[in-house]
Amino acid sequence: MSTADTQTGARRTPGLVPVSETRRSAERAAAPREPSVLSEPEPSGGVVAFWRLLRSELGLTFRRPRNLIMLGVLALVPVIIGIVLKSIGTEDADGGMGALLAATAGNSLMLTFVALSALVPLLMPIAVAVVAGDSIAGEAGTGTLRYLLAAPAGRGRLLAVKYLNAVAFSVAVTAAVAVSALVVGVLLFPVGPVTLLSGTTVSFADGLLRILITVGYVSAGMAALAAVALALSTLTEVSIGAIAATLVLIIVTQVLRAFPQLDWLAPYLLPTHWSGFDGALRDPIGDMSGGLLAFTAYIALFLSTAWARFSGKDISS
Amino acid sequence: MRRGTIVRWGVPIAAAAVIGAAVGAGPVIAAVSGEPVLPERTAAQLLADAAAAVKKAGGPPAMSGTVQQTASLGLPALPAQGGTASPLALLSGSHEVKVWYGAQDRLRIALPGQMSETNLIVNGDQTWYWDSGTNTATKVKLPAKPEGDQPLATPSPTDLTPQQVAETFLDRVNEDTGVSVTNTAEVAGRSVYQLVLTPKAQSSLVKEVRLALDGENYVPLQVQVFAKGSAEPAFQVGFTQVTFSPPAEENFAFTPPAGAKVEEKEFGQLQEPGADHSKEAEKAAEQVKVVGNGWTSVAVLPFKQDGQAQESREAQAAKLILDQATPVSGAWGSGKMIKTKLVTALLTDDGRLLAGAVTPDELVKVAGQ
């Protein structure tokens, strides 16, 4: 990459880590290697460094009080829903959601689905957006990004670590809600065979399996949002900007979905597919491949955008 | 711009291109697939083969799939309906239904909704209607069927050969309809014959009606109605996914789940519990007069605009549509005209409702008669 060298070699801002420098430091770490923009993980030292970085990243994320509080608050919601359902009863419940609430009174596992359908549209995305939107911009804002890049990690690898970290948090958010709902459900409501939306009754074990499918699907949906937030995070050095932009996107798309005139747009919007987890409650299990494909498309598009932006960006803080 | 920059940004652009291609590929492939894989047939041959296939098999083969219904009639968007089951909801937007068909008396239809599902399950002499929204299982008592009732074509296929049936149909239809067959189309990944019916009358709003029959077993897979002046069908119902193999047995087994309300009802009461619409419908049917024939038929019926029953969703929707109607007047009087892509309706001030798949001019002419 000699072109980049000559360009940034001349004028040098104090504290600036130019693109070429990151690359050089990454190249030094794994000496016999083709200079590559992608900086793919190396079989030996690279992989170890990658996992070490990811481990430290995960440690930071799951020790950070802010993140733990978000997980705690989300896990509290199923408890509140459970207690309210138990104490008030569901006699006068009516309509789609009401029936689901009524089903909860009859079976413990249904609380998981109630909790997820209440949290998936907004609260869980907010938690994911905070962590993923903070990932790059937050480091830039506190001035730690250039130290991360000075370490022999390579930008592509740092981005991969940041994304995997956000994905891990997405799974944690979903699991926190599901596990909390499961525990509360088992404590408060009868345990036994589960009635699906199709009117079929399946065993408790089958019900647990369906919860597992749901957790996987919702996590994938949140991971897609994390990719969007990560891409926005590479655009700014103010983490609140990236987080706010992600939230605005979520809210705008949710509002757009409310207009029947814009029905044609709905399949392309991310939040439309989040609620597709109700396929796990049908018999036979509903087709969730459309939603998963949409998530994959979002992840591919926004991760590559984030990479293109981040690997070409001069880091000044 | 540096070369590296261009290469780098090429990746997300390529990703966008791949996604765009994947999203757009479906319709494009369907439109481009010009290679006919089916042998050519005339309309008479096609209908004869279809009738023969139905007669031989004694009904459609076992199948399951997803049926999608799309309507873009050009109606103003209706207010969101509480339940998707309302017939009015079918007039706009798109709806999906899952179908499992085992035999004549084994059928399951599921209407998936957001966190809800409505099912109709027919198994032998048992018919269940399950609505997860109200947690209600309804056992439906079917009215005793008249013997020898054939749901198919009017001339009973048993006393006519398939060729005769086809010819009778074509003779009847040929006066005011052009009939042709294409063998290039594809529906739900299967090659189909499309029977294209084109109205000859100038005043008809219908450009053509396309009926897609499966190339192998002649099961109707899709019906499309095209309005004049639009390339997209104004109304379409058809399979988006179909497999011709017997569906799993458990689809037809239904036992009301524990905790559900179990009811028993006559067939006619299924739609609106409490309200008996059938009498009103019968009364209305007596007053309907049809003017003209074929594609340009216009139905004329008395219509009272009353201020009552405004609470019901249907009434609200009707009011919403009426508010957007254009006032028209002429020698015949005056009224309000509602024009959609396929249907024109005229509500005259003297209390008549005229409706038909015809141009406004034709409707006004009928109103003047």
Side-chain angles (χ1 to χ4, degrees):
Chain A
M1 289 289 147
S2 54
T3 43
D5 284 353
T6 49
Q7 201 189 41
T8 44
R11 47 190 169 80
R12 182 100 206 231
T13 323
L16 181 103
V17 183
V19 184
S20 51
E21 185 130 315
T22 324
R23 275 186 212 127
R24 259 185 271 127
S25 62
E27 282 152 24
R28 269 201 302 275
R33 178 153 74 96
E34 284 293 308
S36 142
V37 188
L38 254 174
S39 60
E40 334 243 331
E42 292 305 302
S44 55
V47 174
V48 173
F50 181 83
W51 285 114
R52 197 183 298 135
L53 188 57
L54 180 58
R55 243 200 339 268
S56 93
E57 231 6 91
L58 287 173
L60 283 175
T61 304
F62 286 100
R63 271 199 298 270
R64 202 164 171 182
R66 178 194 72 187
N67 297 350
L68 292 178
I69 290 172
M70 285 196 302
L71 283 177
V73 167
L74 284 174
L76 200 64
V77 174
V79 181
I80 297 170
I81 296 178
I83 292 173
V84 168
L85 281 183
K86 183 75 180 174
S87 52
I88 295 180
T90 54
E91 281 79 23
D92 40 275
D94 200 21
M97 192 68 185
L100 200 64
L101 295 179
T104 314
N107 196 284
S108 50
L109 292 192
M110 292 310 269
L111 184 62
T112 313
F113 292 97
V114 173
L116 280 177
S117 46
L119 292 175
V120 155
L122 195 60
L123 282 184
M124 281 166 59
I126 287 179
V128 172
V130 166
V131 168
D134 187 44
S135 54
I136 299 291
E139 302 277 6
T142 51
T144 42
L145 187 55
R146 59 194 165 123
Y147 298 112
L148 274 176
L149 291 177
R155 293 193 180 187
R157 232 182 298 175
L158 179 63
L159 202 63
V161 163
K162 286 289 186 189
Y163 183 60
L164 286 180
N165 178 53
V167 170
F169 190 74
S170 307
V171 177
V173 162
T174 320
V177 173
V179 168
S180 153
L182 207 55
V183 170
V184 175
V186 168
L187 288 179
L188 294 183
F189 300 106
V191 178
V194 189
T195 301
L196 302 177
L197 291 178
S198 306
T200 336
T201 308
V202 297
S203 68
F204 189 74
D206 195 346
L208 282 178
L209 182 72
R210 284 167 190 265
I211 286 186
L212 207 61
I213 294 173
T214 308
V215 168
Y217 182 88
V218 173
S219 301
M222 293 301 131
L225 176 75
V228 177
L230 185 71
L232 290 170
S233 185
T234 59
L235 297 178
T236 169
E237 289 174 4
V238 189
S239 64
I240 193 72
I243 297 168
T246 314
L247 295 187
V248 167
L249 267 183
I250 297 169
I251 292 167
V252 166
T253 43
Q254 295 280 32
V255 168
L256 286 182
R257 284 178 59 213
F259 290 102
Q261 290 88 343
L262 295 175
D263 272 351
W264 54 271
L265 191 67
Y268 305 105
L269 303 177
L270 193 51
T272 311
H273 298 283
W274 285 339
S275 51
F277 68 84
D278 60 359
L281 275 177
R282 302 186 197 283
D283 183 52
I285 289 184
D287 189 14
M288 295 160 122
S289 59
L292 291 176
L293 275 178
F295 298 153
T296 315
Y298 264 87
I299 291 172
L301 185 62
F302 282 93
L303 270 196
S304 55
T305 310
W307 173 78
R309 163 73 185 162
F310 187 56
S311 55
K313 183 184 178 190
D314 287 344
I315 307 299
S316 57
S317 51
Chain B
M1 219 199 279
R2 289 205 313 261
R3 212 181 104 251
T5 315
I6 299 170
V7 172
R8 238 185 353 259
W9 281 100
V11 177
I13 291 168
V18 168
I19 294 164
V23 169
V28 171
I29 289 173
V32 172
S33 66
E35 281 301 298
V37 274
L38 298 169
E40 260 184 56
R41 298 261 160 102
T42 64
Q45 279 171 333
L46 178 65
L47 286 176
D49 284 351
V54 168
K55 197 177 160 192
K56 207 174 96 194
M63 61 201 273
S64 57
T66 309
V67 175
Q68 199 177 37
Q69 180 259 1
T70 325
S72 64
L73 297 175
L75 276 176
L78 298 174
Q81 303 286 314
T84 43
S86 163
L88 257 181
L90 294 177
L91 287 180
S92 60
S94 115
H95 302 269
E96 215 174 63
V97 174
K98 299 213 175 278
V99 179
W100 294 264
Y101 180 85
Q104 207 122 61
D105 58 349
R106 299 162 76 70
L107 170 75
R108 175 181 164 199
I109 299 171
L111 187 71
Q114 184 78 52
M115 270 293 175
S116 71
E117 192 171 306
T118 313
N119 269 275
L120 180 71
I121 296 153
V122 181
N123 189 2
D125 50 359
Q126 286 213 326
T127 302
W128 284 98
Y129 179 79
W130 160 253
D131 183 3
S132 84
T134 53
N135 199 22
T136 313
T138 311
K139 190 169 185 182
V140 184
K141 280 193 286 188
L142 289 172
K145 255 195 238 166
E147 285 299 311
D149 181 27
Q150 286 281 349
L152 286 162
T154 347
S156 169
T158 41
D159 41 85
L160 284 169
T161 65
Q163 282 76 15
Q164 278 172 310
V165 175
E167 276 160 27
T168 322
F169 174 74
L170 286 175
D171 279 349
R172 197 178 297 172
V173 129
N174 253 338
E175 297 164 24
D176 45 16
T177 314
V179 180
S180 63
V181 174
T182 68
N183 56 349
T184 54
E186 226 178 63
V187 172
R190 295 183 66 92
S191 303
V192 293
Y193 286 110
Q194 272 192 329
L195 192 66
V196 185
L197 308 172
T198 319
K200 287 176 180 166
Q202 282 297 313
S203 55
S204 170
L205 285 179
V206 179
K207 185 169 77 181
E208 58 188 31
V209 176
R210 287 172 175 263
L211 172 69
L213 299 175
D214 187 87
E216 265 172 51
N217 48 30
Y218 304 102
V219 172
L221 291 184
Q222 191 182 56
V223 178
Q224 292 171 309
V225 183
F226 289 82
K228 276 187 180 145
S230 76
E232 295 288 311
F235 180 85
Q236 171 175 325
V237 55
F239 283 93
T240 51
Q241 181 260 320
V242 65
T243 39
F244 287 99
S245 59
E249 272 308 298
E250 55 261 35
N251 279 314
F252 308 114
F254 183 83
T255 17
K261 275 176 274 176
V262 180
E263 291 175 354
E264 212 164 290
K265 268 184 196 156
E266 295 284 340
F267 181 67
Q269 297 174 329
L270 205 58
Q271 274 300 324
E272 289 272 317
D276 192 4
H277 283 311
S278 58
K279 289 242 171 66
E280 289 171 35
E282 262 172 46
K283 217 167 78 186
E286 280 167 22
Q287 296 168 322
V288 173
K289 199 174 69 178
V290 176
V291 180
N293 56 17
W295 296 99
T296 53
S297 312
V298 171
V300 185
L301 59 156
F303 186 86
K304 229 177 32 231
Q305 264 184 297
D306 50 1
Q308 297 163 1
Q310 286 294 318
E311 299 91 56
S312 81
R313 286 209 181 94
E314 279 82 357
Q316 277 175 4
K319 190 170 174 296
L320 193 88
I321 293 173
L322 271 181
D323 283 348
Q324 304 192 9
T326 32
V328 285
S329 58
W332 48 271
S334 64
K336 281 178 178 163
M337 177 84 79
I338 302 148
K339 194 176 175 304
T340 70
K341 278 190 215 164
L342 270 187
V343 177
T344 314
L346 175 64
L347 185 65
T348 61
D349 290 345
D350 55 3
R352 286 179 301 158
L353 176 67
L354 296 91
V358 292
T359 53
D361 294 347
E362 176 76 14
L363 210 57
V364 167
K365 214 164 75 190
V366 174
Q369 280 170 8

